[in-house]
Each structure stands twice: as C-alpha cells, then as structure tokens.
Amino acid sequence: MARGPRSDRGRDREESEFIEKLVSINRVAKVVKGGRRFGFSALVVAGDGQGRAGVGAGKAREVPEAIRKATERAKRTMRRVPLKDGRTLHHDVDGRFGAGRVVLRAAPQGTGVIAGGPMRAVFEALGIQDVVAKSLGSSNPHNMVKATFEALSRTASPRMVAQRRGKRPSDLFGPRMPAGESTETDAPAEAAANE
C-alpha cells in the first residue's frame, strides 16, 4: 500500500516540473457516410521555465484526450534556447512559418513580456521575463507559434558565435573604451578623412 502513493508523488513531481500552456482548441469535423463526426484538435506549448520548450498538436474525439496527446508531443519536441541572464534574448530576431511572421526583440530588465496570446505562451513556457514581440503576418495560432519557434531556433549566444568562429567570447567584443575616445588605429583614418 505504501508503494502506490510514493510512485504517484514521483509522477506528480515529474509532471509539475513542466509548464504547460494550452494555446488553442478547435472543433474539427470528418464527413462520413452517415453525416459528420466531430473531434477536437489542441495546440499545447510545454517548457521547463529555464530555456527549454516545445510545441505539440493533438487530435481526438474528446477534449482531454486531444490535450494529453498535444502535451506529450510538446514534451518530446523540446529544444533549448540560449537566454541572456536567464531572462531575455541575446539579440533581435525574426521568424517565418507559412503566412506567419514574427519579430522578437531583446528588452531591458523590467520590461515584461509584451506579446500576443500564442507567443506569450511560448515565452512563459521558456521562462523569458523581458521581451517585445510583434506578429506581422497570419494570426493563426499554429503559424504564430511555429514562426516563434523558428525565430528562437536562430538565436545564438556570444559563446556559440565565438565557438563557430574559433575564438574566445571576449575576442568578439574587443577592448572596452570610454565614450568619445578613439583607438590609435583610427587616428590615421580620421586624419585622411579630414584632408
């Protein structure tokens, strides 16, 4: 008897570590000989709130079953997105999927999530706290969510860029200078421009 509750607790802990957001639910019909058979399709975004998220769609005759299928698919398709300070994107990026087009912009601390419904679900599942997003194309939730994931798949952290170029992350930014000062190499170029 003691085994049952303990195994349930383990399962609850596993379920609760993911953030699951139901983006849309739609009634679909299949036309058959006797008339129409109705079912439901669900779109779910799941994430761990720490930079991993996935999207899944599921269809079934009943709503709970469609949501369960979509959630399972979302958990299977999770991918990691590099985040700056664990709260925002490293750089601005845009994405397309079908007729959906989205623009995602990194934002300073305290901005919050400024985004429409389907995109907001993706950011909340990822754990992004500061971002500004705009949908410029289709308002279809499937296209918006997939365009958002396409954009997120193209984000790169400075470490990833440096690794691709065979450099150290510190080499990418160069030496830091106070504003208004120029380097010695810039001086001849400026003198030639003034002549």
Side-chain angles (χ1 to χ4, degrees), residues 175-183:
R176 301 271 182 212
M177 291 183 303
E181 287 187 21
S182 62
T183 59

Side-chain angles (χ1 to χ4, degrees), residues 78-167:
M78 277 186 156
R79 63 180 86 155
R80 182 159 292 288
V81 175
L83 299 180
K84 182 179 181 183
D85 304 330
R87 60 166 191 84
T88 189
L89 303 172
H90 283 281
H91 55 87
D92 298 356
V93 65
D94 62 342
R96 287 174 181 269
F97 186 88
R101 180 167 171 243
V102 297
V103 176
L104 315 181
R105 305 193 70 182
Q109 193 163 6
T111 304
V113 177
I114 300 173
M119 287 191 286
R120 177 178 288 275
V122 175
F123 299 138
E124 287 174 0
L126 272 169
I128 294 177
Q129 295 157 21
D130 302 302
V131 69
V132 177
K134 179 72 181 161
S135 170
L136 301 173
S138 166
S139 60
N140 178 333
H142 286 265
N143 284 347
M144 282 174 73
V145 167
K146 288 174 184 171
T148 304
F149 271 100
E150 198 269 331
L152 291 169
S153 71
R154 294 194 294 133
T155 60
S157 67
R159 182 178 290 140
M160 291 162 67
V161 174
Q163 192 175 14
R164 213 171 16 220
R165 295 182 189 175
K167 297 186 174 199

